[in-house]
Amino acid sequence: MGREFLNIMDPEDVKKIIKNIPINKRVENISLENSLTRILADDVHATINLPPFRRASMDGYAVIAEDTFSASEDEPVSLKLIEVVGAGDVPEKNLVKGFCTEVSTGAPVPEDANGVVMVEFTDKNDGQIIIYESVAVGQNITKEGSDVMAEKLLLPSGTRIMPDKIGVLSAMGMKKVPVFKKPRVAIISTGNEIISHDEELAYGKIYDINSQTISSAVITCGCTPVHSQIVKDDYNSLREKINEFKDLDLILTSGGTSAGTGDVLREVLDDMGEVLVHGVAVKPGKPTIIGRLKNGDDYKFLFGLPGNPVAALMVFHVFFAPFLRKMASINVSTSFPYKNVLELKLSRRFRPARGRTHYLLVKIEDGSAVPILKDSGAITALAEADGFIEVPKNVEILEKGSIVEVHSLGGLINPII
Ligand code: AMP
Ligand code: MG
């Protein structure tokens, strides 16, 4: 048996409720090679000086700089070569006045050398090196620790580990890195008519769409989806399934959120805990539920998406994705791939829903946002859409040519894998 909607809430109030949900973060140590896209759970300080030794920044000859001060094209200076030091070698001979050591880029320079003459300004002649240009003290030598000194902060906690940051961690010789554990999110599709892709498409049935769309959206938010079998519109089955997933970080369901026959989620949540939201003043997505379940001394939260696949994805994107990203410690304001908003002109006049915030799917054609005026259950709307625009509830008409902000519908440019 269904029940009435609680009271239709303003979307901003729903966002506030979601913002106040407490988050439990856990940390794990993983190997550096598996850490791509993960979020650092601790500050990383340099453990060594970088570079770890004084090294040549050019191919050439390590010298005592003073020996070269008088060198010029017309009156070159001649120094005797005493040693050749390649990258990875260790210099064995000390340098004294009148001598030089051949060094490659990245090779350690002998202790007494205080400059490296670039090979381009030299000639070789029978064990003597002819030098045509002077070097200043310190020239072409990178000092130990000049990049970073041990103990200095390199990467703050919360940094997303991308290829450049992997380089930084590798420079420290780190094999393991502390990262936030990926939150685990249960994905439960409900409905007597919903079947899995392994089943025959019998009359009256439809393939499960939401498990796929929502779980992939969950992945783009840095969380791990945990799949469930499809649950029938049956009080006991749904209650059992929710119980089964109570130890995960969050439960996402789709379908059965309205107040009609077969919509049992509201009743299950009333009995298992508390319903915080039932009904939001948005189109599509009005039948959205947020429930709070007691789990020992803790609370678990359940987000109930409408069954309609367009509405489910839209509600997920607008209300729940920010929460999932927060659980996963992904800082949206500082990670530029998420600023997926385009300002475009609307291609035609549009009259939005009255009294509700309207999320309108659009496609981008010839640099304009073209409204997709299909039934909100139409899958072809998703096929055509490039994004959506948000029309506030008090807007009566959007004129042709007005500037709208097109948001990407989960098609993030740089998804979290
Ligand atoms: P409901 O919210 O359960 O009333 O469902 C609304 C509409 O969405 C109905 O036409 C359902 O058949 C459809 N629907 C619900 N869940 C799914 C799903 N997992 N995949 C595809 N369509 C669904
Ligand atoms: Mg249903």
Side-chain angles (χ1 to χ4, degrees):
M1 283 286 289
R3 300 180 187 186
E4 293 295 297
F5 279 105
L6 200 60
N7 61 337
I8 309 293
M9 280 172 110
D10 196 74
E12 293 315 308
D13 293 334
V14 174
K15 285 182 185 170
K16 266 186 221 143
I17 289 174
I18 296 170
K19 242 189 176 150
N20 287 330
I21 295 176
I23 287 174
N24 236 338
K25 293 188 182 183
R26 285 182 304 274
V27 175
E28 61 183 341
N29 279 304
I30 60 169
S31 65
L32 186 61
E33 62 257 38
N34 291 329
S35 68
L36 183 65
T37 73
R38 301 295 296 273
I39 311 293
L40 266 184
D42 210 348
D43 292 345
V44 171
H45 293 88
T47 49
I48 53 173
N49 294 335
L50 267 190
F53 54 89
R54 232 162 58 100
R55 69 185 181 196
S57 62
M58 294 285 176
D59 292 335
Y61 296 92
V63 296
I64 291 164
E66 291 77 2
D67 277 351
T68 70
F69 283 174
S70 68
S72 68
E73 275 297 325
D74 296 336
E75 288 188 52
V77 165
S78 171
L79 298 176
K80 190 165 173 46
L81 183 66
I82 52 162
E83 193 183 6
V84 177
V85 180
D89 292 348
V90 179
E92 281 167 2
K93 299 203 174 127
N94 250 345
L95 212 54
V96 289
K97 272 182 130 347
F99 289 83
C100 65
T101 298
E102 189 178 326
V103 285
S104 316
T105 305
V109 293
E111 236 176 77
D112 294 316
N114 62 357
V116 170
V117 186
M118 284 167 70
V119 69
E120 288 85 339
F121 302 131
T122 66
D123 253 338
K124 230 179 201 169
N125 186 6
D126 199 18
Q128 291 286 322
I129 305 303
I130 320 295
I131 293 171
Y132 295 100
E133 240 191 52
S134 67
V135 282
V137 171
Q139 202 175 336
N140 300 328
I141 293 181
T142 311
K143 283 196 203 134
E144 174 182 345
S146 60
D147 189 352
V148 67
M149 294 294 275
E151 323 254 299
K152 272 265 168 84
L153 178 67
L154 270 181
L155 298 173
S157 173
T159 301
R160 189 169 166 216
I161 305 176
M162 296 309 277
D164 50 350
K165 310 303 183 246
I166 289 205
V168 175
L169 298 165
S170 305
M172 294 296 120
M174 280 179 88
K175 291 197 193 100
K176 294 248 171 187
V177 279
V179 296
F180 290 111
K181 268 194 175 169
K182 283 195 176 199
R184 300 208 305 151
V185 179
I187 310 281
I188 306 172
S189 282
T190 71
N192 289 344
E193 77 282 30
I194 313 297
I195 57 164
S196 84
H197 294 72
D198 302 328
E199 290 172 72
E200 276 290 313
L201 190 62
Y203 180 76
K205 308 289 185 192
I206 54 168
Y207 286 127
D208 179 12
I209 297 166
N210 295 338
S211 291
Q212 302 304 323
T213 52
I214 302 307
S215 66
S216 27
V218 162
I219 293 171
T220 68
C221 293
C223 300
T224 303
V226 178
H227 283 272
S228 145
Q229 281 155 341
I230 296 153
V231 178
K232 296 267 185 251
D233 294 314
D234 168 66
Y235 178 96
N236 288 327
S237 316
L238 187 56
R239 190 172 175 149
E240 259 169 46
K241 191 52 90 180
I242 290 172
N243 247 327
E244 199 183 302
F245 286 124
K246 255 177 133 181
D247 290 331
L248 298 191
D249 295 288
L250 181 71
I251 300 171
L252 280 177
T253 66
S254 71
T257 50
S258 296
T261 314
D263 294 328
V264 290
L265 180 62
R266 166 76 199 277
E267 201 178 347
V268 169
L269 290 178
D270 268 339
D271 293 350
M272 290 180 83
E274 208 181 329
V275 172
L276 305 182
V277 176
H278 187 201
V280 188
V282 292
K283 180 192 167 110
K286 183 172 133 192
T288 293
I289 291 188
I290 298 179
R292 190 171 75 167
L293 315 169
K294 201 140 178 54
N295 188 30
D297 292 338
D298 209 11
Y299 286 110
K300 278 286 131 119
F301 285 82
L302 180 147
F303 295 164
L305 296 160
N308 175 324
V310 177
L313 202 53
M314 197 67 94
V315 167
F316 176 86
H317 194 78
V318 172
F319 294 99
F320 300 148
F323 178 76
L324 269 81
R325 288 196 286 260
K326 191 165 126 192
M327 279 205 302
S329 307
I330 292 168
N331 189 341
V332 181
S333 60
T334 59
S335 69
F336 62 85
Y338 292 100
K339 288 183 186 145
N340 272 349
V341 180
L342 277 177
E343 287 194 356
L344 297 175
K345 277 188 180 161
L346 199 64
S347 70
R348 50 162 288 164
R349 199 165 193 256
F350 176 72
R351 187 189 289 277
R354 289 197 141 246
R356 288 199 269 167
T357 302
H358 195 141
Y359 301 106
L360 173 69
L361 288 176
V362 296
K363 59 183 164 191
I364 300 172
E365 252 173 30
D366 302 327
S368 299
V370 182
I372 298 175
L373 303 171
K374 285 191 174 169
D375 172 82
S376 65
I379 293 308
T380 48
L382 282 184
E384 284 174 37
D386 293 306
F388 70 94
I389 63 173
E390 178 181 323
V391 189
K393 71 172 174 201
N394 48 5
V395 172
E396 288 196 5
I397 280 279
L398 270 184
E399 292 297 345
K400 174 178 176 175
S402 50
I403 302 294
V404 291
E405 283 192 346
V406 180
H407 301 260
S408 157
L409 189 66
L412 301 172
I413 294 164
N414 191 357
I416 311 274
I417 357 157

